[in-house]
Amino acid sequence: MVNALKNAPIAVLDYELTCATGCGVAQLRSALALQQSGLRANDFEHSTLPTWIGRVPELDNFRWPDNDALWHSRNNALIHLALHQGQLLTNIDALATQFGRARIGIIMGSSTSSIDRSELAYRHLTPSGELAPEFQQENVLNPHAPGLYLAHLTGISGPNMTINTACSSSAKVFASAARWLQAGLVDAVLVGGADTLCLSVLQGFDSLQLVSEQRCKPFDDTRDGINLGEGAGFSLLARSGEACLPAKALLRGYGESSDAHHMSHPHPEGEGARRAIEQALARADLAPADIDYINLHGTASRANDSIEGKLIANMFGAEACASSTKAWMGHTLGAAGIIESLVAVDALHTGLVPGTLNLQQVDSDIPLALFAENRQKNVHHVMSNSFGFGGNNACLIFSEANV
């Protein structure tokens, strides 16, 4: 029994995402098809930073449920908004009926959790310098806030974990979920990621001289930095063939590494990233030539794009079908892993491979045949890269459900 679980393939039963490009998968598909970016000139409250951001406009009119006063934060509002897209809640209830809510796990990825609420709290300290009553929220001013709020919303009572490994956070949730399922710890897992814009993020990345004043241009010869965004994504996972819901895709492989080369700069030869990709291919039992589309980490910073581009060309060939989607919604930090993975997963269903927006001339130092326009092709296996600060790397491979 243990060996059977250990080798069980992992099914993706449902997925949804919300970002500046679209609230829900349906809107995202439309925006991708029309090549409509969600980036806008920075208009985030209290920020004067000259840049472009991926702000989710639906949060402007968000109405909190009456019984959620203790959960208020921008990050939790985004979680609530994203979770209510499509059939996600209905399908969670179906799995809860089948397995019981104690046999469903939650794994969230986030870099900021609810730092936005902390910033607001400090602006409204009492005259004696204490937190005002409305900001005394032990489950919000907490690094584990995303997982706690998700349990509150869904009633899921199984194991619950929030991962913070910078930009690889919500890619790693898939790997952790696979281990939980194959160990028999749970029968299903709700994985997700959520990060919202806040001044700590905007000013923090600007202090690292990584923020561009123009629309970001991944892999372009004139790229000069990133645009920051916010977003959330969720996916339901279970051992293949066991759930009452049909599989939409399979998690075929995952790889994780931490080269710890530098606090914020990637390894110059991408050694940690290479190990993560090699692990994912080995677990998937696939060769580089089998991968039909690669969603690149592609932040539009000079160093990251150069290192990743050379590595992918070396491993997959110069003609590999690959693109970065960060110019569509910005770099969503801890949510980037799941959002970009699900963009790749959706290509398995639509055949639409998004182009790299704003790409005019590929950096001559990067030997990849990248493209700006969308492509339509038969897609059977996809890969997504997520590389975070501190050399924390993750790579995911998904395949069609019938492969």
Side-chain angles (χ1 to χ4, degrees):
M1 178 64 175
V2 173
N3 287 336
L5 291 180
K6 184 177 180 181
N7 297 318
I10 305 303
V12 177
L13 306 175
D14 195 10
Y15 58 91
E16 277 292 340
L17 62 88
T18 289
C19 60
T21 316
C23 188
V25 169
Q27 283 191 18
L28 178 75
R29 284 176 175 170
S30 176
L32 290 178
L34 296 172
Q35 286 212 311
Q36 292 178 340
S37 171
L39 294 179
R40 60 202 290 166
N42 181 24
D43 57 358
F44 194 69
E45 189 177 15
H46 302 300
S47 176
T48 58
L49 193 65
T51 186
W52 291 73
I53 60 173
R55 184 163 68 81
V56 175
E58 287 81 3
L59 288 178
D60 296 342
N61 302 312
F62 180 79
R63 298 289 183 89
W64 281 97
D66 292 338
N67 61 342
D68 276 3
L70 291 176
W71 294 98
H72 286 199
S73 76
R74 185 177 182 88
N75 212 57
N76 281 348
L78 180 56
I79 288 172
H80 191 287
L81 181 68
L83 192 68
H84 284 75
Q85 303 306 310
Q87 298 296 308
L88 201 55
L89 282 173
T90 299
N91 288 332
I92 290 171
D93 286 342
L95 292 178
T97 299
Q98 179 183 2
F99 298 126
R101 294 186 191 273
R103 291 293 298 172
I104 303 175
I106 291 174
I107 308 179
M108 283 291 289
S110 184
S111 288
T112 65
S113 290
S114 289
I115 290 176
D116 62 279
R117 189 68 174 173
S118 302
E119 293 176 356
L120 194 59
Y122 277 107
R123 288 196 198 97
H124 294 85
L125 292 175
T126 66
S128 60
E130 297 176 346
L131 287 177
E134 65 267 32
F135 295 105
Q136 294 178 15
Q137 304 165 277
E138 63 179 353
N139 290 333
V140 173
L141 307 182
N142 183 325
H144 186 38
L148 294 172
Y149 185 52
L150 206 54
H152 165 73
L153 286 177
T154 62
I156 293 172
S157 57
N160 192 325
M161 179 168 69
T162 300
I163 295 174
N164 186 340
T165 53
C167 308
S168 64
S169 300
S170 62
K172 291 172 71 66
V173 300
F174 286 94
S176 293
R179 288 189 285 266
W180 282 12
L181 288 163
Q182 290 171 335
L185 185 64
V186 291
D187 295 314
V189 186
L190 173 61
V191 299
D195 260 338
T196 36
L197 290 165
C198 59
L199 295 184
S200 300
V201 163
L202 288 165
Q203 300 303 140
F205 274 84
D206 185 54
S207 71
L208 295 173
Q209 300 181 335
L210 291 174
V211 176
S212 176
E213 294 188 7
Q214 61 181 338
R215 288 184 177 91
C216 69
K217 306 171 71 174
F219 298 100
D220 191 86
D221 196 47
T222 62
R223 70 189 185 281
D224 64 354
I226 72 174
N227 296 152
L228 293 159
E230 58 189 4
F234 296 101
S235 183
L236 278 171
L237 306 179
R239 292 180 292 271
S240 183
E242 293 188 10
C244 59
L245 304 171
K248 292 189 173 182
L250 295 176
L251 173 62
R252 281 287 291 271
Y254 59 86
E256 301 171 280
S257 69
S258 182
D259 57 53
H261 169 74
H262 186 270
M263 192 73 160
S264 60
H265 195 284
H267 189 284
E269 281 80 46
E271 283 305 311
R274 177 189 293 276
R275 285 196 292 272
I277 293 170
E278 288 173 343
Q279 288 176 25
L281 288 168
R283 276 198 176 90
D285 194 24
L286 294 172
D290 295 321
I291 304 301
D292 300 304
Y293 168 58
I294 304 169
N295 189 293
L296 301 165
H297 187 57
T299 63
S301 74
R302 296 300 302 183
N304 280 270
D305 285 10
S306 178
I307 294 166
E308 184 182 17
K310 292 174 182 177
L311 176 64
I312 294 300
N314 178 263
M315 296 184 71
F316 293 84
E319 298 301 319
C321 181
S323 68
S324 166
T325 48
K326 285 188 169 63
W328 297 87
M329 72 281 292
H331 190 343
T332 55
L333 304 178
I338 193 164
I339 287 174
E340 292 161 17
S341 295
L342 296 181
V343 168
V345 168
D346 210 48
L348 295 169
H349 297 279
T350 65
L352 188 151
V353 173
T356 300
L357 288 186
N358 306 329
L359 180 65
Q360 296 174 318
Q361 178 63 49
V362 179
D363 186 340
S364 58
D365 197 39
I366 298 175
L368 267 181
L370 296 161
F371 47 91
E373 298 300 319
N374 295 346
R375 291 182 177 178
Q376 197 73 30
K377 64 175 294 189
N378 292 325
V379 180
H380 307 290
H381 308 285
V382 297
M383 189 177 91
S384 181
N385 289 335
S386 298
F387 307 139
F389 280 176
N392 202 302
N393 310 292
C395 176
L396 301 171
I397 295 176
F398 299 89
S399 300
E400 289 178 308
N402 59 352
V403 172

